[in-house]
Amino acid sequence: MLLWQWACHIATMSKPIAITQRQITAICKGAARAGFVAEIIINGVVVRLVPEGQPTKPAGRASDYELDAELESWDGDRNRSKSATGPGGYPSGSGRKGDPLQDYYDRLGFDPLTMGQREMMELQKAAEEKWKASIPGTPLGKRERNALKQLSSYGPNIAVHWSKIKNCGDDTAERLKARGFLETTAHPKHANSFESLILTDAGHKAFRALQAEQS
């Protein structure tokens, strides 16, 4: 499931949906990543959301962590259940291999026609735990190394506001947390976001090891 494709499902529905500003932002970001234009229905009016200055490019593939976050953002608005199929209000997949939404459901083992929000949350939690367990021991990515470098300039066990660390989004932060290199503090207004990043002693040690390798 990529958000531009989900937006296509929404645009073909006969009834308008209620949608929050956060959901609109999520749709725009998902579409922008893939070089697509999101289209939704608000109060019966088709609205096309075009990211300013965004060039069209070939479709990419979002990570499972991003897909989880996008699905969770839709869980907050149960009004959409009137215009979606299944007991949980989740849109049905196409049944075709290669369809991002269908492939994501298949990876989770989720059936939108027979399962609801409780099953979705349980499957997502199990998939998240499996994903976290797979991270330790794998090579650090470029963004992870860059985040460690920036955080190390502040030192370990120091809370640093997220805005001061460049290119450390949710996926990068979660990878570092899974390695035990990072801790976060919850955002006071947004439950699913973090406000500060805290480099752990293990993370600081890992950064020093990277420096030693490069010297």
Side-chain angles (χ1 to χ4, degrees):
M1 185 278 304
L2 296 180
L3 276 176
W4 75 84
Q5 184 150 358
W6 204 331
C8 291
H9 283 282
I10 298 169
T12 58
M13 295 173 182
S14 59
K15 298 180 180 179
I17 64 170
I19 189 167
T20 66
Q21 181 177 352
R22 182 185 177 196
Q23 291 166 348
I24 291 176
T25 301
I27 292 172
C28 286
K29 288 182 178 179
R33 283 199 304 268
F36 284 78
V37 174
E39 194 171 80
I40 62 175
I41 298 176
I42 301 177
N43 296 327
V45 178
V46 176
V47 179
R48 176 167 293 180
L49 305 170
V50 182
E52 183 177 0
Q54 175 67 41
T56 301
K57 58 184 178 181
R61 177 175 177 176
S63 69
D64 281 357
Y65 178 76
E66 292 171 322
L67 298 177
D68 286 343
E70 290 163 358
L71 272 175
E72 288 170 3
S73 73
W74 281 84
D75 285 336
D77 185 3
R78 308 313 297 170
N79 290 331
R80 63 187 161 74
S81 63
K82 297 179 181 179
S83 57
T85 58
Y90 295 99
S92 60
S94 66
R96 301 190 306 272
K97 294 295 184 182
D99 172 14
L101 174 58
Q102 184 64 58
D103 288 348
Y104 182 65
Y105 284 160
D106 290 344
R107 287 198 298 275
L108 286 180
F110 181 75
D111 181 359
L113 299 181
T114 62
M115 297 180 179
Q117 185 180 19
R118 180 179 62 82
E119 290 87 353
M120 170 61 82
M121 293 178 66
E122 290 175 350
L123 290 169
Q124 284 183 328
K125 183 177 180 180
E128 181 179 5
E129 292 303 318
K130 182 178 180 180
W131 176 81
K132 288 180 178 179
S134 71
I135 298 301
T138 60
L140 285 162
K142 181 178 179 180
R143 289 181 183 271
E144 291 177 277
R145 296 194 301 271
N146 185 44
L148 287 179
K149 180 179 180 180
Q150 295 177 74
L151 287 166
S152 290
S153 67
Y154 292 92
N157 306 310
I158 302 296
V160 182
H161 194 270
W162 66 267
S163 63
K164 296 182 179 180
I165 306 301
K166 298 183 181 299
N167 299 319
C168 186
D170 289 345
D171 186 68
T172 300
E174 290 299 324
R175 287 177 176 275
L176 290 172
K177 288 173 67 175
R179 299 180 191 277
F181 295 168
L182 183 71
E183 294 178 355
T184 59
T185 62
H187 195 284
K189 295 183 179 179
H190 306 293
N192 294 328
S193 300
F194 51 81
E195 182 177 39
S196 299
L197 305 171
I198 304 172
L199 182 69
T200 64
D201 290 328
H204 192 50
K205 182 178 179 180
F207 174 70
R208 291 201 304 268
L210 286 174
Q211 285 185 310
E213 291 176 2
Q214 295 171 359
S215 61

